[in-house]
Amino acid sequence: MTALICGSYAFDHIMVFPDRFKNHILPDKIHMLNVSFLVPDMRREFGGCAGNIAYTLNLLGGDVTPMATIGSDFAPYAAWMDKCGITREYVTEIETSYTGQAFITTDQDDNQITAFHPGAMSDSHNNKVTDAKGVSIGIVSPDGRDGMIEHARQFKEAGIPFIFDPGQGMPMFGEDDLKLFLEQATWLTVNDYEMQMFLDKTGMSPAEVAAQVEALIITRGGEGAEIVTKDKNIMIPVVIAKEIKDPTGCGDAFRSGLLYGLMNDLDWEITGRIASLLGSIKIEQHGTQNHNFTMDEFKTRFQSEFNMNF
């Protein structure tokens, strides 16, 4: 099976402020905020939801085809994709734009201030799902608003089952948008905060949401994940990371596991555990695409963590 992964590609600029934001922000001056933070440490990482999902699914041996729009500055990322053996056939360059850029500053209390420039993502609707051949499953992950709407519609019209993953794109959509996504999608995956936003925006109950898809997958951070199908609720345990270095991108790694399980007709108990382990492996490394493993190594750790095989 080939997975078409629709979503963003971005450069993540990750900076560390060796102090606390609260020490430099005057509460009575919030209305006229003008602050500058010295950040002696900075990393530039390859990121974006489609990029991250494709990277981890590729490590598992999945047949991945990302679809995204990128800018004229993409060359280093393109070289990385080539090194990883990930196709760029449907990664479209917008010459007049930058690739999406995230600027993330973290203080000593793990508070974050993030600025995001969407750049070429705003043109993602110009890519067409039907241009990709041989696709059997898909995912609509955070991207340009129009792109997410169009790609969900195109998956549905083409009869290709897909995961709807609104993620940080949730605020872009209103009640009607989200209800339409739910009608079109085969599976919905959200974290617990996004789930509450979904319910608040639509006025639906969790049971009503779950009834419209084959499975509703809710991640709950350190409490693991819940998979709700029409037949049962399945609780997926969290895998305790060997070392917590960077949670950024854990959700994308988790979604790679969902796709892998669906592509290989695995049951939800196994699929959820694969996803959970991938999230843990990611958190053990800085950046969203610096974790690495062979399939044999992954299966060995899976057996060790869960006392089962797949």
Side-chain angles (χ1 to χ4, degrees):
M1 296 181 76
T2 298
L4 183 65
I5 302 171
C6 298
S8 62
Y9 270 77
F11 290 107
D12 294 336
H13 301 77
I14 301 170
M15 295 159 280
V16 178
F17 178 53
D19 200 339
R20 294 172 171 82
F21 294 143
K22 66 182 181 182
N23 294 337
H24 300 265
I25 298 175
L26 303 176
D28 60 339
K29 299 294 184 182
I30 291 294
H31 65 288
M32 51 182 295
L33 190 64
N34 186 357
V35 294
S36 177
F37 301 111
L38 178 66
V39 287
D41 296 324
M42 186 184 85
R43 306 190 320 273
R44 186 171 81 157
E45 303 281 1
F46 302 125
C49 294
N52 298 338
I53 294 169
Y55 174 80
T56 300
L57 186 53
N58 185 61
L59 289 179
L60 292 169
D63 187 358
V64 295
T65 299
M67 175 171 280
T69 42
I70 50 86
S72 57
D73 57 343
F74 194 68
Y77 207 146
W80 173 244
M81 291 179 68
D82 292 345
K83 181 178 180 180
C84 295
I86 298 173
T87 179
R88 292 190 281 120
E89 185 173 1
Y90 303 108
V91 176
T92 305
E93 180 180 334
I94 308 299
E95 294 182 357
T96 55
S97 296
Y98 289 113
T99 301
Q101 311 272 332
F103 300 87
I104 306 164
T105 304
T106 305
D107 75 356
Q108 288 184 334
D109 289 332
D110 287 332
N111 297 308
Q112 288 188 331
I113 296 175
T114 300
F116 186 78
H117 171 64
M121 284 172 54
S122 300
D123 289 289
S124 61
H125 58 281
N126 292 318
N127 281 332
K128 303 289 187 267
V129 164
T130 50
D131 288 343
K133 306 306 179 186
V135 172
S136 46
I137 191 171
I139 184 169
V140 174
S141 60
D143 204 352
R145 182 181 188 278
D146 291 345
M148 293 178 72
I149 290 171
E150 283 300 307
H151 295 154
R153 179 184 63 80
Q154 291 163 11
F155 273 126
K156 179 66 173 179
E157 290 180 352
I160 300 171
F162 74 96
I163 298 172
F164 178 51
D165 168 28
Q168 63 265 38
M170 183 80 77
M172 297 189 294
F173 304 109
E175 177 182 356
D176 292 342
D177 297 320
L178 293 174
K179 286 184 174 179
L180 181 57
F181 280 130
L182 197 59
E183 292 175 11
Q184 295 166 329
T186 316
W187 308 278
L188 171 65
T189 181
V190 288
N191 63 29
D192 46 3
Y193 182 81
E194 293 157 0
M195 183 63 192
Q196 190 58 54
M197 288 183 65
F198 196 103
L199 299 179
D200 291 346
K201 282 175 172 280
T202 62
M204 300 175 71
S205 69
E208 289 172 328
V209 173
Q212 292 205 40
V213 288
E214 290 188 11
L216 166 64
I217 303 98
I218 308 170
T219 58
R220 303 189 183 279
E223 298 178 8
E226 180 181 7
I227 301 175
V228 184
T229 70
K230 291 179 173 60
D231 300 321
K232 56 185 174 180
N233 286 28
I234 304 163
M235 301 308 298
I236 302 297
V238 69
V239 175
I240 303 302
K242 295 177 181 178
E243 184 177 4
I244 298 176
K245 290 186 176 181
D246 182 4
T248 308
C250 287
D252 294 332
F254 186 97
R255 282 142 182 78
S256 301
L258 297 180
L259 283 168
Y260 180 85
L262 290 166
M263 293 167 73
N264 289 277
D265 295 321
L266 302 177
D267 62 38
W268 283 114
E269 286 83 357
I270 295 293
T271 296
R273 283 167 171 78
I274 290 172
S276 179
L277 178 54
L278 287 170
S280 179
I281 289 172
K282 208 298 327 150
I283 208 172
E284 295 167 355
Q285 301 294 330
H286 288 293
T288 57
Q289 297 181 32
N290 292 324
H291 52 292
N292 202 357
F293 52 79
T294 66
M295 199 58 187
D296 285 343
E297 291 169 342
F298 184 80
K299 288 185 174 182
T300 296
R301 185 164 175 185
F302 185 93
Q303 201 283 330
S304 175
E305 294 287 352
F306 301 114
N307 195 31
M308 62 174 68
N309 298 308
F310 69 90

